[in-house]
Amino acid sequence: YAKTSVDACNYGPDQRYVYSREGTPVLTKVEATLSTLCEGHAVVYGSGLTAAYAVLIEHRPKKIALGDCYFGIREVVKQYQRLVPGVQVVGLECSYEKVDMVWLESPINPTGEVKDIGSYALRAHAAGAILVVDATLAPPPLSYPFRQGADIVVHSATKYMGGHSDLLAGIVVTKSAKSAETLRHARYILGTGTGNLECWLLLRSLRTLTVRIRQQSQTASRIVALLEGHRRSAIHSACHTPTAHELKLGSRIASVSHASLQLCATNCSFIENQHPEGFGAVFAIRFKCKDTALFVARHLGLHRFATSLGGVESLVDWRHGWDATADPTLLRVSVGLEGFDDLARDWAQTLLALNDHMVAQAKI
């Protein structure tokens, strides 16, 4: 029935919005905004993992190449395997023979290190597979995976896209408008979309995305350089004898991981081209033992000891608490919008407190 023949304000095929599960004005607006930002056709879901599952259901791969990634993605793949028996999962560096989907996370959660998207795109396409890139940790303007050959891009919008730790959403970005419409139809049938409030909050957050992520990226790279400097300054060598203060600050740091530290590594010339605007604001720091890592997590003052990432507040997370396969000496750090000097002071005070604590423990 058309509106002209039925006396109802929102009824009939000439109505653009009939049912909120199918679409709303604010959903249309946020998807249009995301499509422009991500240089593709964006479809919004209720969470990042829901978005990942939608990609699997849409493309129904029989053999998936999967590397280092957020443990939730592996759980989603397991759910997909229950639905489609016989699906194989191989490593990212294995042969791509009969692989029909390559799932690449870059930057990697929790280390913040990056992979060469262009290289994996060439390998995937040569094998007849599609390349899906989870770029949650480096949203625009830090990365544009389609430029390196990705076929599909996935984001957990809960993180940097949302940016304020107050919404739950996921995004699938495709190159094809037809593919996006197919995903939207399935979302409508299954009810896997997100509500009006989440869409409005996401739209609000996107207005400040560029300034937020650039500042967080710059601060994170400086904090990484600071902590790596502490670690190196505590190492004895033929040309350097650490001072007592340097030992207190860095002797218990085992390693620091972040894309900015990959720049000096071999076979990493792709990084500056792939990330000309900077790197993600997540990095990992490893300590000499589990108890040391937990002491630091509990005593940092400006970094909240909590999971998640991408918000305006700095967070430190002990990944082993969520994922039993994670290194128990590792802390994941998500840098927020606090000032660099304040965060640097927080780290210095905590590392010095750690040293005093370990000295006192040794005397017991």
Side-chain angles (χ1 to χ4, degrees):
Y1 301 95
K3 186 177 178 181
T4 52
S5 61
V6 177
D7 187 19
C9 2
N10 192 14
Y11 195 78
D14 58 344
Q15 299 300 308
R16 174 64 182 86
Y17 301 104
V18 178
Y19 199 64
S20 59
R21 179 158 47 82
E22 184 176 11
T24 63
V26 69
L27 174 61
T28 298
K29 191 169 184 178
V30 77
E31 286 188 337
T33 303
L34 286 165
S35 296
T36 300
L37 280 172
C38 299
E39 301 181 341
H41 302 273
V43 184
V44 176
Y45 291 87
S47 72
L49 293 182
T50 305
Y53 195 62
V55 171
L56 295 173
I57 296 300
E58 171 67 17
H59 292 275
R60 297 182 70 82
K62 298 295 185 184
K63 190 173 182 180
I64 306 169
L66 181 64
D68 294 333
C69 64
Y70 171 49
F71 78 97
I73 294 295
R74 293 191 176 275
E75 294 301 316
V76 166
V77 171
K78 288 179 184 177
Q79 291 297 316
Y80 173 69
Q81 287 175 305
R82 292 179 61 190
L83 181 67
V84 185
V87 172
Q88 293 180 272
V89 178
V90 298
L92 196 62
E93 307 305 329
C94 293
S95 166
Y96 286 179
E97 183 181 0
K98 296 185 178 179
V99 166
D100 41 14
M101 177 178 285
V102 177
W103 193 288
L104 175 67
E105 185 171 284
S106 183
I108 301 167
N109 183 356
T111 65
E113 294 173 316
V114 296
K115 294 283 191 178
D116 185 350
I117 296 173
S119 173
Y120 287 99
L122 289 173
R123 287 188 62 200
H125 297 157
I130 63 171
L131 176 65
V132 181
V133 175
D134 183 340
T136 295
L137 269 60
L142 298 186
S143 72
Y144 296 92
F146 286 138
R147 297 180 186 181
Q148 281 80 45
D151 298 294
I152 297 171
V153 179
V154 176
H155 288 275
S156 171
T158 307
K159 310 304 191 297
Y160 289 102
M161 296 284 195
H164 294 80
S165 305
D166 60 2
L167 67 88
L168 194 67
I171 305 163
V172 175
V173 191
T174 70
K175 289 182 175 180
S176 160
K178 182 178 180 181
S179 177
E181 283 307 312
T182 302
L183 287 166
R184 289 192 184 101
H185 180 70
R187 179 186 66 185
Y188 160 59
I189 299 299
L190 298 173
T192 53
T194 190
N196 270 342
L197 178 59
E198 307 289 287
C199 288
W200 183 87
L201 289 169
L202 181 55
L203 194 60
R204 165 217 62 184
S205 298
L206 293 177
R207 294 187 177 103
T208 61
L209 174 64
T210 298
V211 292
R212 281 189 289 107
I213 192 63
R214 279 181 174 155
Q215 184 60 53
Q216 288 170 285
S217 170
Q218 291 170 11
T219 304
S221 293
R222 292 179 68 187
I223 293 294
V224 165
L226 176 76
L227 293 173
E228 176 65 2
H230 288 333
R231 185 191 71 82
R232 292 186 179 186
S233 295
I235 298 174
H236 289 267
S237 69
C239 56
H240 177 68
T241 300
T243 65
H245 186 68
E246 288 173 333
L247 288 170
K248 289 178 182 179
L249 286 173
S251 62
R252 291 176 177 86
I253 300 175
S255 67
V256 183
S257 301
H258 186 243
S260 60
L261 299 179
Q262 290 179 266
L263 289 171
C264 298
T266 56
N267 302 320
C268 287
S269 58
F270 69 91
I271 294 178
E272 290 183 317
N273 178 59
Q274 187 171 296
H275 298 277
E277 295 285 336
F279 312 107
V282 166
F283 69 90
I285 181 169
R286 292 176 177 86
F287 291 89
K288 298 293 178 67
C289 68
K290 179 186 78 172
D291 292 341
T292 301
L294 284 170
F295 180 94
V296 171
R298 290 168 178 154
H299 287 78
L300 282 166
L302 291 181
H303 300 69
R304 297 184 186 181
F305 188 8
T307 192
S308 198
L309 56 93
V312 295
E313 66 286 328
S314 292
L315 301 176
V316 59
D317 185 25
W318 186 54
R319 295 308 300 157
H320 187 75
W322 285 89
D323 179 3
T325 65
D327 183 349
T329 71
L330 179 146
L331 297 179
R332 183 186 69 192
V333 183
S334 173
V335 177
L337 287 176
E338 301 90 348
F340 168 77
D341 291 340
D342 293 331
L343 294 177
R345 188 180 305 112
D346 191 26
W347 275 104
Q349 290 172 348
T350 303
L351 292 172
L352 292 174
L354 169 64
N355 179 76
D356 293 342
H357 171 73
M358 298 301 290
V359 170
Q361 288 293 107
K363 293 178 180 179
I364 297 176

